[in-house]
Amino acid sequence: MSVHEDVHRPLTTAQEGIWFAQRLDPANAAYNTGEYVEIHGPIDPEIFEAALRRTLTEAQTFAQLFTDTPDGPRSIHASPTRRPLHRIDLTDHPDPSAAAEAWMRADQATAADLTRGPLFTQALFTAAPDRHFWYQRAHHILLDGYSYLLVFRRVAEIYTAEAAGLPVPETPFAPHHRLHDQEAAYRASERFARDRAYFTERYADAPEAVSLARAVASARAGFHRRTAFLSPQETERLTTAAARLGGTRNDLLLAAIGSYLHRHTAAPDVILGLTCMSRAGSAALRTPATASNNLPLRLTLTPATTVRELLDAVAAEVRAIRRHQQYRGEDLRRDLKLLGGDRRLFGPVVNLIPFGYDLRFGEHSVTHHPLSGGLVDDLCVTARPLADGGLSLDFDANPALYTPDELADHQQRVLLLVDQLAEAEPDSPLARLSLLRPGERPSPPAETAGAPAPDATLPARFQAQAHRTPHAVAVTDGTTALTYAELNGRANRLAHHLLAHGARPGGTIALALPRTHHLPAGILAVLKTGGGYLPLD
């Protein structure tokens, strides 16, 4: 690429966060995003390539490279040379789909240099004369999920016009600098101050965010994925059930994930991450770029919370977040002093995508295949509407935190809660919802349960007891009593905190605590990290 050094622009806040994270770990490919569409029908590769090149020129985000300056990172407008479209013929391959996806996975694992590029890849695979895969990969600093739709849609529009010999409609894309100008105006406005006040007040007393994982770890390229597909009938059932409970289908999905996190950790406060488009105004909605934003969604739950109370709480939180969604999660982390280390703003992330991919190349329909939305810190659940009226639910997990079997178990139990919420009476307490899968039986009461394995650790024995008798009193100091579920939840949260601050198996942690209910929670937390505790007077 030839670079014009005279065009330097500050990064948007979304880009800046990605820039600094990538610079801390340049070889990490976790910020690569990718999708492909399967085109059902014959297409003209020459017309397709011309339509693609025109779109890449119109979408100014693809002309960006990035550099450090004394004033901070800046984007540079780079005039792209004729970047190749990879055209790969797989018609003689015994399994074209597998071969294409293997090529895509290898490309996804290639780390990008933000200062030199290339920051994106385009490929067209021919599986058969009437079957093609168009693949896009871009660093997240260039595109978010909504931007992929804009690019797919524009190429299809140009291709369809050119193939029919019709005039190509004017580009719908707004200039890229409009996003930065709009953000600068927002950050200087009273609305920015109001949005900041909402989040800082809402989370001033928030506890440490809990997770379904037993540890913390940095995200790397790659993740485990399990996808569930709901039929149009099942999807409509959820929509109808949510309306009966006074909410939306998305509220019901969030309620299921939030209540599962509560049941799994016994934490009275759970904080999910909610992905927002954060695009205000028509210009932002017409600009391929990265703008998506993850913001916290806080729920306070008890076993006695009713289904209707849960749905009402979720709906109220979502409305408030939508009103204030231009405020960046990166800013909130700074406000709450959560920068550095493994301190969390939220636990699992939920991405409720509101748009589908109803595209056509001429008369030919497409099937959309999402590959990666970028970084997976912990667990991410993404709901996407399908062309037939159904719904897909992707469960993506950081492989440093979850095994494939653990991810499968979490997915199945979340789906159990989704199904039960759809059937529950509004006044039913959450404690009545079962986490048992078909064929499973509850653990026997403590007095009839078999002895634990001889080599079981103390944390493992306590965890088993907490599963058997979650609501029985585990410890009391004469003033405060904690159930097994409550004590286990407190110990898990403290163990996560200790691991985030350097605790490791085999280490020693000093405990200076009075003989109250805090002491056994501290002892148990230390043991859960794999370390030993040293009591101090």
Side-chain angles (χ1 to χ4, degrees):
M1 292 193 175
S2 61
V3 176
H4 298 298
E5 296 286 349
D6 57 324
V7 184
H8 288 64
R9 293 190 181 278
L11 277 58
T12 63
T13 308
Q15 288 181 313
E16 197 172 69
I18 296 170
W19 161 268
F20 285 119
Q22 184 70 84
R23 295 289 280 181
L24 288 172
D25 191 2
N28 192 350
Y31 281 98
N32 280 340
T33 64
E35 303 183 0
Y36 76 94
V37 291
E38 182 177 350
I39 304 171
H40 304 289
I43 62 171
D44 185 322
E46 300 301 327
I47 296 178
F48 174 86
E49 183 165 353
L52 176 61
R53 292 194 182 283
R54 178 167 175 169
T55 301
L56 296 181
T57 301
E58 293 176 351
Q60 295 174 357
T61 191
F62 290 108
Q64 292 184 101
L65 290 177
F66 302 86
T67 188
D68 258 329
T69 76
D71 298 320
R74 294 290 185 268
S75 67
I76 303 172
H77 183 274
S79 299
T81 57
R82 286 185 60 81
R83 287 285 314 283
L85 165 67
H86 299 278
R87 288 165 59 169
I88 303 166
D89 189 340
L90 298 174
T91 53
D92 292 331
H93 197 281
D95 191 342
S97 296
E101 291 194 359
W103 193 99
M104 297 176 200
R105 284 194 298 272
D107 182 67
Q108 289 275 300
T110 302
D113 185 334
L114 298 183
T115 63
R116 296 177 178 272
L119 302 186
F120 63 92
T121 296
Q122 299 282 344
L124 181 66
F125 300 87
T126 300
D130 60 351
R131 186 178 179 220
H132 302 266
F133 309 129
W134 168 27
Y135 163 71
Q136 296 193 77
R137 185 261 297 173
H139 195 281
H140 197 26
I141 203 167
L142 298 185
L143 296 179
D144 58 15
Y146 176 70
S147 297
Y148 272 93
L149 174 63
L150 297 179
V151 175
F152 279 128
R153 183 185 290 162
R154 179 59 175 165
V155 174
E157 179 182 54
I158 296 173
Y159 178 91
T160 299
E162 293 282 11
L166 299 172
V168 175
E170 290 294 320
T171 181
F173 299 156
H176 189 270
H177 70 82
R178 294 276 294 275
L179 276 183
H180 183 272
D181 294 345
Q182 185 180 68
E183 182 181 70
Y186 164 70
R187 296 176 76 84
S189 70
E190 291 183 4
R191 181 171 182 176
F192 175 80
R194 290 196 301 270
D195 292 346
R196 181 183 186 186
Y198 166 76
F199 280 110
T200 53
E201 291 172 11
R202 181 75 177 100
Y203 291 91
D205 64 342
E208 183 176 358
V210 296
S211 164
L212 297 171
R214 293 187 294 270
V216 293
S218 299
R220 305 294 300 177
F223 47 84
H224 299 314
R225 169 172 287 180
R226 287 185 63 89
T227 302
F229 294 98
L230 304 187
S231 69
Q233 294 75 23
E234 291 170 321
T235 304
E236 179 59 30
R237 170 175 166 265
L238 295 186
T239 302
T240 302
R244 175 177 60 83
L245 296 169
T248 67
R249 185 178 69 218
N250 285 343
D251 294 338
L252 191 147
L253 293 174
L254 285 166
I257 297 167
S259 60
Y260 179 68
L261 183 59
H262 164 69
R263 292 282 293 274
H264 189 82
T265 64
D269 273 279
V270 298
I271 306 175
L272 302 175
L274 181 65
T275 301
C276 304
M277 286 176 58
S278 296
R279 292 172 180 259
S282 63
L285 291 171
R286 293 183 291 112
T287 306
T290 189
S292 61
N293 189 15
N294 287 332
L295 291 167
L297 186 155
R298 181 179 180 181
L299 298 171
T300 300
L301 304 173
T302 71
T305 300
T306 67
V307 171
R308 185 183 294 280
E309 288 170 342
L310 172 60
L311 266 290
D312 287 347
V314 168
E317 285 289 307
V318 170
R319 284 195 299 270
I321 291 171
R322 299 294 189 204
R323 283 197 302 271
H324 302 288
Q325 65 175 293
Q326 281 186 270
Y327 195 72
R328 299 294 310 179
E330 297 90 339
D331 289 322
L332 184 55
R333 284 178 63 86
R334 281 190 287 271
D335 294 336
L336 300 178
K337 297 180 173 55
L338 295 177
L339 296 176
D342 295 306
R343 288 170 289 181
R344 306 168 188 256
L345 178 58
F346 38 71
V349 173
V350 185
N351 187 4
L352 303 167
I353 294 178
F355 49 82
Y357 282 71
D358 186 15
L359 308 174
R360 304 191 78 81
F361 285 79
E363 298 179 353
H364 311 311
S365 62
V366 307
T367 300
H368 174 240
H369 298 271
L371 297 174
S372 172
L375 198 71
V376 179
D377 280 315
D378 183 275
L379 179 73
C380 180
V381 181
T382 302
R384 290 182 175 88
L386 301 176
D388 64 358
L391 196 68
S392 71
L393 294 169
D394 289 332
F395 286 69
D396 296 340
N398 183 342
L401 297 177
Y402 301 89
T403 66
D405 287 344
E406 287 172 332
L407 176 61
D409 186 69
H410 290 313
Q411 181 203 45
Q412 291 165 11
R413 297 187 196 281
V414 168
L415 294 176
L416 274 173
L417 281 182
V418 170
D419 190 62
Q420 291 179 77
L421 284 172
E423 296 294 332
E425 292 300 322
D427 295 329
S428 295
L430 296 181
R432 289 187 186 173
L433 302 180
S434 173
L435 293 179
L436 296 178
R437 294 176 296 187
E440 287 186 325
R441 294 183 179 181
S443 299
E447 61 271 15
T448 62
D455 59 349
T457 64
L458 176 57
R461 291 171 179 237
F462 182 86
Q463 187 86 9
Q465 184 65 35
H467 279 300
R468 286 193 294 268
T469 59
H471 305 304
V473 173
V475 62
T476 180
D477 59 11
T479 302
T480 302
L482 297 178
T483 66
Y484 278 93
E486 290 169 336
L487 179 57
N488 195 43
R490 291 189 183 201
N492 284 338
R493 292 193 292 278
L494 181 54
H496 288 150
H497 181 77
L498 293 173
L499 289 167
H501 288 78
R504 292 294 179 266
T508 302
I509 297 175
L511 292 179
L513 292 170
R515 291 175 60 83
T516 68
H517 63 282
H518 296 297
L519 180 58
I523 293 173
L524 186 57
V526 172
L527 297 178
K528 282 173 177 279
T529 70
Y533 67 93
L534 175 65
L536 300 181
D537 187 347

